[in-house]
Amino acid sequence: MRWALVKVCLAVTAMVVIAFAVPLGLVIREMASDRAFSDAERQAGTIAPTLSITTDREELTRAVLSTEPGDRGHLAVHVPAPGKAADGTGAKALDIGTRRTTSEDVATVQKDGRASIAEVPGGFALLQPTALSTGEIAVVEVFVPEGEVSNGVATAWLMLAGVGVALIVGSVAVADRLGVRMVQPAQRLAGAAQDLGEGRLGTRVPEEGPTELRSAAVAFNSMADQVVQLLANERELAADLSHRLRTPLTVLRLNAASLGEGPAAEQTRAAVQQLEHEVDTIIRTAREQRPQTQGGQPEAGCDASEVIRERMGFWSALAEDEGREVRLAGVDRTVRIPVARPELAAALDALLGNVFRHTPEGTAFAVDVHHSGDAVIVLVSDAGPGIDDPKAALARGASGRAGSRGSTGLGLDIVRRVAESTGGDLRIGRSVLGGTEVRIWIGLHGSRPEPGRRGHGRRVGRRIGWRGRKQARTTTGPGARH
């Protein structure tokens, strides 16, 4: 495409240069010729006054030699014999100066009375008729060398040729730059499409070049972003679904632990352990391969109180089997949040599953909900050993519990995405029960809470924990159903 544009520009410019340069060169040559013969006419006119006064040879000779062309031998005067015919027959005519034309040329001018130009060796001769006092016609001959006729023509033609070449070279350079400006964005777009097809999802195209190519680059980048987002959503879904399998796996593991001894019990526990290992492998693989994308705003909301009551009802059965005290508070009224029901359920299951996996049997835990007007705060507390380094746990996305094994680190990521998708956040601290407290701040209007409000929510959360603890003594207990 680039060279095609250069060739077209070269052809067009060459045609324009030829169309203007050739006629201009001919005009210059004609102008030089007219200038030379005009000078010759002027020089011939300098001898006319003398011819009108006298036809004496000596006088005419002195007059001819006094002129510039006569001094150089370029001027001659032809005077017919007195009383004779114009064709020169009879008496001998008078010729003064250096003659280069033939008698026929002179006779023709004397007969016609019009100036003419005759081609002679070395140039041209201007024959100018002049009337004498006797009524006869004398002819003044001025020799014009060929060099004077074409004087300056070669230089002018060289200048025209140089200008033409410069125009052609300049047009080719401009066409090449324009071709590069058009071709490079197209090449980058083609290369980016090939890279994207080979799996390099971070490939993007600079939005440069002509308007059409910029529009194509914008469309390509948008398409690439959508591909990355779709792949991220697919891998997130695979990881989340796999992580949700850990809830029933926890139940199976706990039930398998109560089967006692025997080949069947050992095989069941081994199968559960193998299944947990495979689920962990799926979660890690999906998480390692997912592109870094930010979650979007959930499309549907749910009643947080209803979802929390439902999930606590499920986990309370397991808590009864392990002798865990369960406390629940703040779910006595409807609390709408901009989080899809499955997402909130997955987040709660991830946190409660961590409690069962990483705390000893008989460890109490509590869930408190508080509505602060612009946000909903969910606190999940336990009386276990706690997390050694809460900041590191949040930074690496792992549970970080003391002695934890088999953690994929996806549980806290699921909770974090749920909170951050609403403009909220996730924090880990020490609970009033003595173990870990995970606080989920869910924004109701899609805006992140102010720093002061976060601290306020933290203090409110602790008060809720104490109040929920008092309420739990009267409304809930081990084995309670919600």
Side-chain angles (χ1 to χ4, degrees), residues 416-429:
R416 187 204 308 273
R417 287 199 308 273
V418 170
E420 292 182 349
S421 68
T422 65
D425 62 6
L426 173 68
R427 291 192 178 185
I428 301 176

Side-chain angles (χ1 to χ4, degrees), residues 93-163:
L94 180 63
D95 293 324
I96 301 173
T98 304
R99 179 173 184 172
R100 290 178 172 79
T101 58
T102 63
S103 300
E104 290 78 7
D105 294 332
V106 174
T108 300
V109 172
Q110 289 177 340
K111 181 179 179 180
D112 297 338
R114 293 181 299 180
S116 67
I117 298 174
E119 186 174 357
V120 297
F124 301 89
L126 172 66
L127 299 176
Q128 180 69 39
T130 302
L132 301 177
S133 58
T134 59
E136 297 176 335
I137 301 298
V139 177
V140 180
E141 175 186 333
V142 180
F143 174 67
V144 181
E146 187 174 359
E148 293 184 7
V149 175
S150 60
N151 184 27
V153 174
T155 303
W157 282 6
L158 287 176
M159 292 179 63
L160 285 176
V163 171

Side-chain angles (χ1 to χ4, degrees), residues 289-377:
Q289 293 180 352
R290 72 183 183 195
Q292 295 298 325
T293 58
Q294 296 186 2
Q297 184 74 11
E299 298 180 355
C302 67
D303 180 4
S305 298
E306 179 185 355
V307 176
I308 293 174
R309 287 195 301 266
E310 176 188 343
R311 299 317 301 162
M312 285 298 292
F314 172 81
W315 288 100
S316 294
L318 299 179
E320 181 180 0
D321 294 339
E322 294 191 355
R324 297 176 182 266
E325 182 182 359
V326 180
R327 300 185 178 95
L328 178 63
V331 294
D332 52 346
R333 67 189 181 107
T334 300
V335 180
R336 298 292 303 182
I337 61 174
V339 178
R341 183 186 186 92
E343 299 298 327
L344 180 59
L348 289 172
D349 288 342
L351 294 179
L352 296 175
N354 282 340
V355 173
F356 279 83
R357 286 176 59 87
H358 303 297
T359 61
E361 293 186 7
T363 301
F365 66 93
V367 177
D368 301 316
V369 181
H370 175 69
H371 186 195
S372 65
D374 60 348
V376 172
I377 305 169

Side-chain angles (χ1 to χ4, degrees), residues 2 47 77 87 164 174 183 186 243 307 325 341 354 362 380 419 454:
R2 173 183 174 185
I47 202 67
V77 178
D87 59 359
V174 172
V183 171
H243 193 274
V307 176
E325 182 182 359
R341 183 186 186 92
N354 282 340
V380 179
R454 289 182 182 179

Side-chain angles (χ1 to χ4, degrees), residues 109-327:
V109 172
Q110 289 177 340
K111 181 179 179 180
D112 297 338
R114 293 181 299 180
S116 67
I117 298 174
E119 186 174 357
V120 297
F124 301 89
L126 172 66
L127 299 176
Q128 180 69 39
T130 302
L132 301 177
S133 58
T134 59
E136 297 176 335
I137 301 298
V139 177
V140 180
E141 175 186 333
V142 180
F143 174 67
V144 181
E146 187 174 359
E148 293 184 7
V149 175
S150 60
N151 184 27
V153 174
T155 303
W157 282 6
L158 287 176
M159 292 179 63
L160 285 176
V163 171
V165 171
L167 287 175
I168 292 175
V169 172
S171 65
V172 169
V174 172
D176 182 69
R177 290 299 91 197
L178 291 176
V180 169
R181 185 171 177 266
M182 295 178 61
V183 171
Q184 283 186 346
Q187 290 176 342
R188 285 196 295 265
L189 184 60
Q194 184 176 1
D195 292 341
L196 186 64
E198 293 175 354
R200 290 187 280 272
L201 302 181
T203 302
R204 296 296 182 271
V205 181
E207 298 173 5
E208 301 173 350
T211 303
E212 295 78 6
L213 291 178
R214 285 201 303 269
S215 300
V218 170
F220 176 85
N221 293 338
S222 177
M223 178 194 68
D225 292 339
Q226 291 180 3
V227 169
V228 171
Q229 186 62 41
L230 289 174
L231 290 175
N233 293 341
E234 179 182 353
R235 289 164 180 167
E236 291 290 347
L237 179 60
D240 291 350
L241 292 178
S242 300
H243 193 274
R244 293 176 189 180
L245 292 177
R246 301 190 67 172
T247 299
L249 282 177
T250 302
V251 178
L252 290 177
R253 180 172 57 83
L254 296 176
N255 292 336
S258 62
L259 292 179
E261 301 297 333
E266 291 298 329
Q267 291 178 359
T268 302
R269 284 190 286 268
V272 171
Q273 185 178 4
Q274 178 65 24
L275 186 57
E276 284 185 328
H277 175 73
E278 296 298 336
V279 170
D280 290 346
T281 301
I282 294 174
I283 293 173
R284 289 193 184 94
T285 303
R287 190 180 181 198
E288 289 173 357
Q289 293 180 352
R290 72 183 183 195
Q292 295 298 325
T293 58
Q294 296 186 2
Q297 184 74 11
E299 298 180 355
C302 67
D303 180 4
S305 298
E306 179 185 355
V307 176
I308 293 174
R309 287 195 301 266
E310 176 188 343
R311 299 317 301 162
M312 285 298 292
F314 172 81
W315 288 100
S316 294
L318 299 179
E320 181 180 0
D321 294 339
E322 294 191 355
R324 297 176 182 266
E325 182 182 359
V326 180
R327 300 185 178 95

